[in-house]
């Protein structure tokens, strides 16, 4: 046995030397990979060097992958480079990287530019979710650009999220046009490639993004994407009950805004109204008892509460949409603040004690942002059954998503329009009743990713055929 061990010594020495050489070579390789990763400076290329088993929610909430790109050309250039390297094998090809989603709704472009409208916020969250799932995203600028992208990438397109309109790059001119969409009568018919006269877009790959509570034609709810779970709204108020609920999350931005302890906040209330005209619209929460619209701009409701309860009212309102015969100022007691970007807006809301709704805008993300920042929302109820006034299923409200999903005090105060005493009580109570951050479960990024995964991985062809029959789908002559 001793002789055998001695005879193995030279072999062990050689093996040890080889191990050292291999380790040195590996260290050089690791150094090369690290240097290569650093040399790829743009965050869109970071999936080439992903962490082991990356957490999809963390990837989606990071957000840095697109923050330095503000143009469609710059965005598409990076993604098409990734797609080409995946196709040719000249670079890594991660899960879903070879699958394309065409983003043909103009709000996707506006989200990239930093706009704050509700549709832009929704698109921003959808892009984060799709990016976390690894898909190649391509933005569409106009009809010509759309056709070019489709012809070049049709074999890789997994889905098209399109605009429900008939202008610009909107979907309506296409969806009943036999030269644009391919809508077969059977499941087993092959899809022809595009040619010089026909785009041959499979109709089951087209989904229309629609902010409001209702389906989009021609295939209705299953092919209509929604930001709210309209299926949970009561009968008679759930026109979009069959829509595909994608939803959105505000976590990425609102969780970056520091939470201000209640005791450290000024006695500040923020009025939710992006336009001054909301104070004179029929939906206004404090209508003049005499029906004189101009009186609503001279109402002392806010000034009285400011004086008796030491409240500072703030708001930012566009003035250019006001009727010329009306005074261009908010009611007394409200201070107009400068327009600001979204991070600054969230910081201002986080310093407030209550967000006060006045009837418009409907379904705004701002109440959700406020709740995420620990700020309660006063939700005007604009309609109810006179014979059954406390039946909430018969109510209409500025933020129906909070009303019909059961969010109540101390997070949301639902007050009937015209109830001045009720609004005053709600303001005083909200000012003195602290809440922590609150995010509705459906609005967690994990939920958005899960629903987006279902949307992108489902074979929608059978559903499309059923909807074509149910809606009597036909091409325009």
């Amino acid at each position: 046995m001793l002789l055998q061990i001695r005879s193995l010594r030279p072999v062990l020495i050689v093996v040890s030397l080889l191990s050292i050489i291999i380790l040195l070579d590996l260290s050089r390789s690791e150094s090369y990979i690290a240097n290569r990763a650093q040399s790829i400076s743009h965050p869109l290329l970071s999936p080439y060097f992903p962490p082991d088993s990356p957490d999809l929610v963390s990837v989606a909430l990071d957000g840095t992958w697109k923050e330095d790109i503000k143009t469609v050309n710059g965005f598409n250039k990076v993604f098409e480079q990734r797609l080409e390297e995946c196709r040719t094998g000249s670079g890594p090809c991660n899960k879903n990287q070879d699958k394309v989603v065409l983003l043909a709704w103009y709000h996707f472009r506006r989200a990239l530019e930093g706009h704050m409208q509700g549709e832009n916020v929704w698109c921003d969250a959808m892009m984060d979710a799709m990016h976390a799932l690894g898909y190649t995203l391509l933005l569409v600028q106009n009809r010509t650009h759309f056709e070019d992208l489709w012809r070049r990438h049709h074999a890789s397109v997994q889905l098209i999220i399109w605009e429900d309109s008939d202008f610009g790059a909107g979907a309506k001119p296409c969806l009943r046009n036999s030269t644009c969409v391919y809508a077969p009568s059977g499941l087993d018919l092959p899809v022809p490639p595009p040619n010089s006269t026909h785009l041959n877009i499979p109709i089951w790959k087209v989904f229309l993004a629609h902010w409001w509570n209702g389906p989009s034609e021609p295939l209705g709810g299953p092919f209509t994407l929604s930001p709210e779970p309209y299926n949970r709204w009561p009968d008679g108020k759930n026109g979009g009950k069959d829509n595909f609920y994608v939803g959105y999350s505000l976590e990425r931005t609102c969780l970056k805004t520091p939470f201000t302890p209640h005791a450290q906040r000024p006695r500040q209330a923020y009025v939710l109204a992006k336009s001054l005209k909301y104070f004179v619209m029929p939906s206004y929460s404090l209508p003049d008892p005499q029906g004189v619209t101009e009186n609503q701009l001279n109402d002392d409701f806010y000034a009285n509460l400011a004086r008796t309860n030491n409240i500072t009212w703030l708001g930012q309102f566009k003035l250019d949409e006001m009727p010329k015969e009306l005074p261009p100022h908010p009611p007394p007691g409200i201070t107009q603040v400068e327009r600001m970007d979204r991070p600054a807006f969230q910081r201002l809301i986080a310093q407030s004690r209550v967000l006060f709704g006045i009837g418009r805008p409907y379904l705004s993300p701002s109440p959700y942002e406020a709740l995420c920042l620990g700020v309660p929302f006063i939700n005007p109820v604009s309609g109810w059954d006179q014979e059954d006034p406390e039946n909430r299923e018969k109510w209409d409200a500025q933020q129906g998503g909070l009303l019909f999903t059961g969010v109540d005090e101390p997070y949301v105060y639902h007050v009937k329009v015209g109830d001045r005493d009720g609004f005053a009580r709600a303001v005083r109570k909200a000012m003195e009743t602290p809440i922590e951050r609150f995010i509705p479960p459906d609005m967690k990024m994990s939920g958005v990713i899960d629903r987006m995964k279902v949307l992108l991985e489902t074979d929608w062809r059978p559903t499309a055929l059923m909807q074509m029959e149910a809606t009597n789908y036909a091409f325009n002559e």
Side-chain angles (χ1 to χ4, degrees):
M1 184 66 180
L2 183 60
L3 288 173
Q4 290 177 341
I5 293 174
R6 286 176 178 173
S7 65
L8 286 173
R9 282 179 179 171
V11 176
L12 291 172
I13 292 170
V14 171
V15 170
S16 297
L17 289 171
L18 286 172
S19 298
I20 292 171
I21 293 170
I22 290 171
L23 287 171
L24 286 171
D25 187 61
L26 282 174
S27 69
R28 292 192 189 100
S29 299
E30 290 172 357
S31 176
Y32 169 77
I33 291 173
N35 290 335
R36 173 64 175 150
Q38 291 175 0
S39 71
I40 299 177
S41 59
H42 203 281
L44 278 176
L45 298 179
S46 62
Y48 281 173
F49 301 94
D52 293 334
S53 302
D55 172 48
L56 297 182
V57 174
S58 297
V59 174
L61 293 181
D62 176 74
T64 57
W65 65 276
K66 64 182 185 300
E67 67 182 11
D68 293 330
I69 298 184
K70 302 302 179 186
T71 67
V72 172
N73 289 338
F75 185 93
N76 286 359
K77 181 179 179 180
V78 177
F79 266 110
E80 288 190 290
Q81 176 186 334
R82 291 182 60 212
L83 182 64
E84 182 64 20
E85 292 182 357
C86 187
R87 287 172 175 169
T88 61
S90 59
C93 190
N94 297 307
K95 183 178 180 180
N96 296 327
Q97 188 175 320
D98 59 340
K99 299 172 184 174
V100 173
V101 181
L102 293 182
L103 306 178
W105 195 23
Y106 81 100
H107 286 293
F108 284 109
R109 304 196 306 271
R110 290 176 66 84
L112 193 69
E113 297 165 357
H115 290 269
M116 297 170 58
Q117 190 174 340
E119 291 89 339
N120 312 139
V121 173
W122 182 24
C123 287
D124 193 44
M126 287 195 285
M127 292 168 72
D128 285 337
M130 288 184 282
H131 175 68
L133 290 167
Y135 287 84
T136 291
L137 310 178
L138 296 177
L139 291 165
V140 174
Q141 297 192 80
N142 51 47
R143 173 74 60 183
T144 302
H145 187 221
F146 173 83
E147 293 184 7
D148 173 64
L149 289 174
W150 171 254
R151 290 183 185 280
R152 288 194 289 118
H153 300 299
H154 66 92
S156 301
V157 172
Q158 189 81 357
L159 203 77
I160 302 169
I161 300 180
W162 219 336
E163 180 179 342
D164 181 17
S165 73
D166 54 9
F167 62 88
K172 285 187 176 179
C174 175
L175 293 181
R176 291 190 184 274
N177 187 334
S178 61
T179 67
C180 191
V181 293
Y182 178 69
S185 57
L187 288 171
D188 55 350
L189 297 175
V191 180
N195 56 48
S196 59
T197 59
H198 289 67
L199 291 174
N200 288 323
I201 301 167
I203 197 167
W204 58 89
K205 292 191 175 185
V206 176
F207 283 76
L208 301 179
H210 187 57
W211 184 260
W212 306 109
N213 186 356
S216 293
E217 295 182 352
L219 297 189
F223 291 87
T224 305
L225 305 182
S226 288
E228 295 273 357
Y230 295 124
N231 61 312
R232 295 170 61 186
W233 292 32
D235 290 342
K237 301 182 184 297
N238 59 351
K241 65 181 185 300
D242 295 324
N243 294 4
F244 189 99
Y245 169 53
V246 176
Y248 60 97
S249 173
L250 299 163
E251 289 176 287
R252 178 171 62 79
T253 55
C254 80
L255 293 181
K256 289 180 180 178
T257 304
F259 178 85
T260 304
H262 195 261
Q264 297 177 18
R265 300 182 190 188
R267 296 187 58 78
Q268 175 176 301
Y270 190 89
V271 179
L272 175 61
K274 60 184 179 182
S275 176
L276 190 61
K277 70 176 181 180
Y278 293 165
F279 287 95
V280 296
M281 295 183 74
S283 57
Y284 180 52
S285 56
L286 297 168
D288 178 60
Q290 307 303 318
V292 180
T293 301
E294 186 172 348
N295 289 349
Q296 293 168 194
L297 293 171
N298 297 310
D299 190 352
D300 61 3
F301 174 85
Y302 305 94
N304 286 343
L305 276 176
R307 184 183 67 257
T308 59
N309 292 271
N310 189 28
I311 297 172
T312 298
W313 292 94
L314 301 178
Q316 48 180 311
F317 321 108
K318 291 187 292 186
L319 307 180
D320 53 358
E321 297 175 342
M322 277 292 288
K324 292 182 179 179
E325 66 274 13
L326 295 177
H329 60 72
I334 302 176
T335 300
Q336 168 89 296
V337 298
E338 296 293 328
R339 302 292 294 179
M340 59 193 72
D341 60 18
R342 192 174 173 196
F345 173 75
Q346 290 186 330
R347 289 192 297 271
L348 181 62
I349 296 299
Q351 292 287 320
S352 302
R353 296 194 177 202
V354 63
L355 180 69
F356 187 80
I358 66 168
R360 290 283 188 97
Y362 295 133
L363 298 179
S364 168
S366 296
Y368 294 121
E369 286 183 298
L371 292 172
C372 184
L373 296 166
V375 178
F377 174 59
I378 296 179
N379 189 24
V381 176
S382 57
W384 55 90
D385 186 336
Q386 296 293 340
E387 297 181 358
D388 192 10
E390 299 310 311
N391 185 345
R392 291 193 177 195
E393 291 195 353
K394 297 182 179 181
W395 284 5
D396 294 308
Q398 178 175 348
Q399 184 46 267
L402 290 169
L403 173 63
F404 297 128
T405 54
V407 184
D408 213 328
E409 296 183 23
Y411 302 100
V412 180
Y413 297 77
H414 307 290
V415 185
K416 294 186 179 70
V417 165
D419 184 359
R420 299 174 69 87
D421 291 340
F423 278 108
R425 283 193 301 270
V427 170
R428 287 192 291 264
K429 188 173 181 180
M431 292 285 292
E432 307 302 335
T433 308
I435 65 170
E436 297 299 315
R437 291 185 188 268
F438 174 74
I439 302 172
D442 285 342
M443 298 189 71
K444 296 278 190 179
M445 179 54 79
S446 56
V448 179
I449 291 173
D450 288 344
R451 294 187 293 270
M452 187 61 74
K453 191 171 187 291
V454 172
L455 176 66
L456 292 167
E457 294 182 1
T458 297
D459 179 2
W460 292 100
R461 187 164 178 164
T463 306
L465 291 176
M466 288 191 294
Q467 287 300 111
M468 287 165 63
E469 183 176 352
T471 60
N472 295 314
Y473 175 83
F475 288 127
N476 291 329
E477 296 297 334

Tab-separated table of all heavy atoms in Angstrom, residues 83-110:
chain	number	residue	atom	x	y	z
A	83	LEU	N	-32.066	41.070	-29.608
A	83	LEU	CA	-32.816	40.086	-30.380
A	83	LEU	C	-31.945	39.461	-31.460
A	83	LEU	O	-31.952	38.238	-31.656
A	83	LEU	CB	-34.039	40.758	-31.002
A	83	LEU	CG	-34.975	39.860	-31.811
A	83	LEU	CD1	-35.604	38.794	-30.918
A	83	LEU	CD2	-36.067	40.708	-32.478
A	84	GLU	N	-31.155	40.274	-32.157
A	84	GLU	CA	-30.292	39.774	-33.221
A	84	GLU	C	-29.223	38.833	-32.662
A	84	GLU	O	-28.937	37.776	-33.247
A	84	GLU	CB	-29.653	40.946	-33.966
A	84	GLU	CG	-28.758	40.548	-35.127
A	84	GLU	CD	-29.520	39.834	-36.240
A	84	GLU	OE1	-30.767	39.965	-36.307
A	84	GLU	OE2	-28.873	39.137	-37.034
A	85	GLU	N	-28.631	39.188	-31.546
A	85	GLU	CA	-27.614	38.331	-30.943
A	85	GLU	C	-28.214	37.012	-30.475
A	85	GLU	O	-27.569	35.971	-30.517
A	85	GLU	CB	-26.925	39.066	-29.794
A	85	GLU	CG	-26.080	40.239	-30.261
A	85	GLU	CD	-25.351	40.939	-29.126
A	85	GLU	OE1	-25.544	40.539	-27.964
A	85	GLU	OE2	-24.589	41.881	-29.413
A	86	CYS	N	-29.454	37.063	-30.041
A	86	CYS	CA	-30.141	35.834	-29.633
A	86	CYS	C	-30.412	34.942	-30.842
A	86	CYS	O	-30.215	33.729	-30.793
A	86	CYS	CB	-31.460	36.200	-28.941
A	86	CYS	SG	-32.338	34.831	-28.199
A	87	ARG	N	-30.837	35.555	-31.943
A	87	ARG	CA	-31.157	34.788	-33.147
A	87	ARG	C	-29.921	34.157	-33.775
A	87	ARG	O	-29.948	33.026	-34.265
A	87	ARG	CB	-31.838	35.693	-34.169
A	87	ARG	CG	-33.271	36.075	-33.844
A	87	ARG	CD	-33.764	37.125	-34.824
A	87	ARG	NE	-35.178	37.443	-34.619
A	87	ARG	CZ	-35.787	38.472	-35.192
A	87	ARG	NH1	-35.110	39.295	-35.999
A	87	ARG	NH2	-37.077	38.697	-34.958
A	88	THR	N	-28.822	34.904	-33.764
A	88	THR	CA	-27.622	34.444	-34.466
A	88	THR	C	-26.680	33.649	-33.587
A	88	THR	O	-25.719	33.051	-34.091
A	88	THR	CB	-26.858	35.658	-35.039
A	88	THR	OG1	-26.456	36.514	-33.953
A	88	THR	CG2	-27.734	36.445	-36.011
A	89	GLY	N	-26.919	33.664	-32.282
A	89	GLY	CA	-26.014	32.962	-31.374
A	89	GLY	C	-24.756	33.737	-31.077
A	89	GLY	O	-23.814	33.192	-30.497
A	90	SER	N	-24.709	35.002	-31.467
A	90	SER	CA	-23.507	35.813	-31.233
A	90	SER	C	-23.471	36.405	-29.830
A	90	SER	O	-22.519	37.093	-29.468
A	90	SER	CB	-23.426	36.932	-32.274
A	90	SER	OG	-24.572	37.758	-32.224
A	91	GLY	N	-24.506	36.145	-29.063
A	91	GLY	CA	-24.559	36.607	-27.677
A	91	GLY	C	-25.486	35.719	-26.884
A	91	GLY	O	-26.167	34.849	-27.442
A	92	PRO	N	-25.536	35.885	-25.582
A	92	PRO	CA	-26.428	35.079	-24.748
A	92	PRO	C	-27.879	35.239	-25.172
A	92	PRO	O	-28.281	36.273	-25.704
A	92	PRO	CB	-26.202	35.630	-23.343
A	92	PRO	CG	-24.859	36.288	-23.404
A	92	PRO	CD	-24.724	36.828	-24.788
A	93	CYS	N	-28.669	34.209	-24.939
A	93	CYS	CA	-30.086	34.236	-25.284
A	93	CYS	C	-30.858	33.698	-24.097
A	93	CYS	O	-31.005	32.486	-23.926
A	93	CYS	CB	-30.348	33.398	-26.539
A	93	CYS	SG	-32.008	33.611	-27.213
A	94	ASN	N	-31.332	34.597	-23.255
A	94	ASN	CA	-32.033	34.202	-22.045
A	94	ASN	C	-33.492	33.885	-22.335
A	94	ASN	O	-33.996	34.107	-23.434
A	94	ASN	CB	-31.922	35.316	-21.001
A	94	ASN	CG	-30.489	35.553	-20.583
A	94	ASN	OD1	-29.782	34.635	-20.196
A	94	ASN	ND2	-30.037	36.799	-20.681
A	95	LYS	N	-34.169	33.385	-21.319
A	95	LYS	CA	-35.559	32.973	-21.472
A	95	LYS	C	-36.406	34.143	-21.979
A	95	LYS	O	-36.340	35.249	-21.449
A	95	LYS	CB	-36.105	32.483	-20.126
A	95	LYS	CG	-37.534	31.974	-20.203
A	95	LYS	CD	-38.006	31.452	-18.858
A	95	LYS	CE	-39.437	30.936	-18.952
A	95	LYS	NZ	-39.941	30.419	-17.665
A	96	ASN	N	-37.179	33.882	-23.039
A	96	ASN	CA	-38.118	34.825	-23.661
A	96	ASN	C	-37.449	35.951	-24.435
A	96	ASN	O	-38.141	36.795	-25.023
A	96	ASN	CB	-39.071	35.440	-22.618
A	96	ASN	CG	-39.968	34.410	-21.965
A	96	ASN	OD1	-40.366	33.437	-22.594
A	96	ASN	ND2	-40.266	34.597	-20.697
A	97	GLN	N	-36.127	35.981	-24.489
A	97	GLN	CA	-35.438	37.061	-25.195
A	97	GLN	C	-35.716	37.015	-26.691
A	97	GLN	O	-35.665	38.046	-27.375
A	97	GLN	CB	-33.933	36.956	-24.933
A	97	GLN	CG	-33.110	38.124	-25.441
A	97	GLN	CD	-31.649	38.002	-25.035
A	97	GLN	OE1	-31.348	37.592	-23.913
A	97	GLN	NE2	-30.759	38.322	-25.950
A	98	ASP	N	-36.033	35.823	-27.214
A	98	ASP	CA	-36.310	35.674	-28.640
A	98	ASP	C	-37.773	35.942	-28.980
A	98	ASP	O	-38.190	35.766	-30.126
A	98	ASP	CB	-35.922	34.271	-29.110
A	98	ASP	CG	-36.667	33.178	-28.350
A	98	ASP	OD1	-37.172	33.452	-27.247
A	98	ASP	OD2	-36.728	32.046	-28.857
A	99	LYS	N	-38.557	36.397	-28.000
A	99	LYS	CA	-39.978	36.662	-28.219
A	99	LYS	C	-40.225	38.169	-28.123
A	99	LYS	O	-39.788	38.817	-27.170
A	99	LYS	CB	-40.830	35.924	-27.187
A	99	LYS	CG	-40.656	34.405	-27.257
A	99	LYS	CD	-41.349	33.720	-26.093
A	99	LYS	CE	-41.082	32.219	-26.130
A	99	LYS	NZ	-41.637	31.539	-24.929
A	100	VAL	N	-40.962	38.686	-29.095
A	100	VAL	CA	-41.154	40.133	-29.229
A	100	VAL	C	-42.568	40.521	-28.815
A	100	VAL	O	-43.541	39.836	-29.150
A	100	VAL	CB	-40.902	40.577	-30.684
A	100	VAL	CG1	-41.259	42.047	-30.882
A	100	VAL	CG2	-39.442	40.320	-31.065
A	101	VAL	N	-42.672	41.635	-28.096
A	101	VAL	CA	-43.963	42.278	-27.841
A	101	VAL	C	-43.918	43.654	-28.487
A	101	VAL	O	-43.040	44.471	-28.169
A	101	VAL	CB	-44.258	42.410	-26.333
A	101	VAL	CG1	-45.619	43.068	-26.123
A	101	VAL	CG2	-44.218	41.045	-25.649
A	102	LEU	N	-44.836	43.899	-29.416
A	102	LEU	CA	-44.925	45.209	-30.060
A	102	LEU	C	-45.825	46.111	-29.225
A	102	LEU	O	-46.991	45.779	-28.963
A	102	LEU	CB	-45.493	45.077	-31.477
A	102	LEU	CG	-44.630	44.340	-32.507
A	102	LEU	CD1	-45.316	44.349	-33.875
A	102	LEU	CD2	-43.250	44.963	-32.609
A	103	LEU	N	-45.298	47.242	-28.803
A	103	LEU	CA	-46.013	48.190	-27.958
A	103	LEU	C	-46.511	49.327	-28.835
A	103	LEU	O	-45.810	50.306	-29.077
A	103	LEU	CB	-45.096	48.701	-26.841
A	103	LEU	CG	-44.439	47.602	-25.990
A	103	LEU	CD1	-43.504	48.218	-24.949
A	103	LEU	CD2	-45.486	46.715	-25.326
A	104	ALA	N	-47.742	49.187	-29.327
A	104	ALA	CA	-48.261	50.093	-30.346
A	104	ALA	C	-49.253	51.103	-29.788
A	104	ALA	O	-50.024	51.700	-30.547
A	104	ALA	CB	-48.917	49.281	-31.474
A	105	TRP	N	-49.267	51.290	-28.478
A	105	TRP	CA	-50.098	52.315	-27.841
A	105	TRP	C	-49.199	53.497	-27.518
A	105	TRP	O	-48.138	53.332	-26.904
A	105	TRP	CB	-50.724	51.747	-26.570
A	105	TRP	CG	-51.853	52.530	-25.998
A	105	TRP	CD1	-52.660	53.412	-26.645
A	105	TRP	CD2	-52.326	52.480	-24.640
A	105	TRP	NE1	-53.615	53.928	-25.780
A	105	TRP	CE2	-53.429	53.367	-24.538
A	105	TRP	CE3	-51.929	51.773	-23.504
A	105	TRP	CZ2	-54.131	53.556	-23.355
A	105	TRP	CZ3	-52.632	51.971	-22.324
A	105	TRP	CH2	-53.726	52.844	-22.254
A	106	TYR	N	-49.608	54.699	-27.901
A	106	TYR	CA	-48.695	55.838	-27.770
A	106	TYR	C	-48.356	56.148	-26.320
A	106	TYR	O	-47.357	56.804	-26.040
A	106	TYR	CB	-49.255	57.065	-28.483
A	106	TYR	CG	-50.292	57.856	-27.736
A	106	TYR	CD1	-49.958	59.032	-27.069
A	106	TYR	CD2	-51.619	57.442	-27.726
A	106	TYR	CE1	-50.920	59.768	-26.397
A	106	TYR	CE2	-52.582	58.177	-27.057
A	106	TYR	CZ	-52.234	59.335	-26.396
A	106	TYR	OH	-53.185	60.062	-25.736
A	107	HIS	N	-49.153	55.666	-25.374
A	107	HIS	CA	-48.846	55.907	-23.961
A	107	HIS	C	-47.584	55.166	-23.514
A	107	HIS	O	-46.969	55.571	-22.520
A	107	HIS	CB	-50.030	55.522	-23.091
A	107	HIS	CG	-51.172	56.498	-23.165
A	107	HIS	ND1	-51.076	57.793	-22.682
A	107	HIS	CD2	-52.422	56.381	-23.699
A	107	HIS	CE1	-52.219	58.421	-22.897
A	107	HIS	NE2	-53.050	57.594	-23.502
A	108	PHE	N	-47.200	54.127	-24.210
A	108	PHE	CA	-45.911	53.491	-23.903
A	108	PHE	C	-44.774	54.463	-24.194
A	108	PHE	O	-43.815	54.574	-23.418
A	108	PHE	CB	-45.732	52.209	-24.722
A	108	PHE	CG	-46.533	51.040	-24.221
A	108	PHE	CD1	-47.621	50.570	-24.937
A	108	PHE	CD2	-46.185	50.392	-23.043
A	108	PHE	CE1	-48.358	49.495	-24.481
A	108	PHE	CE2	-46.910	49.309	-22.579
A	108	PHE	CZ	-48.009	48.854	-23.298
A	109	ARG	N	-44.867	55.155	-25.323
A	109	ARG	CA	-43.829	56.141	-25.655
A	109	ARG	C	-43.824	57.275	-24.637
A	109	ARG	O	-42.751	57.729	-24.207
A	109	ARG	CB	-44.072	56.703	-27.061
A	109	ARG	CG	-44.141	55.656	-28.163
A	109	ARG	CD	-44.000	56.266	-29.541
A	109	ARG	NE	-44.941	57.330	-29.827
A	109	ARG	CZ	-46.144	57.148	-30.352
A	109	ARG	NH1	-46.573	55.928	-30.615
A	109	ARG	NH2	-46.929	58.184	-30.618
A	110	ARG	N	-44.994	57.719	-24.246
A	110	ARG	CA	-45.071	58.826	-23.287
A	110	ARG	C	-44.569	58.394	-21.909
A	110	ARG	O	-43.996	59.204	-21.172
A	110	ARG	CB	-46.514	59.339	-23.215
A	110	ARG	CG	-46.935	60.063	-24.493
A	110	ARG	CD	-48.392	60.489	-24.457
A	110	ARG	NE	-48.636	61.507	-23.449
A	110	ARG	CZ	-48.445	62.803	-23.617
A	110	ARG	NH1	-47.939	63.255	-24.762
A	110	ARG	NH2	-48.723	63.665	-22.662
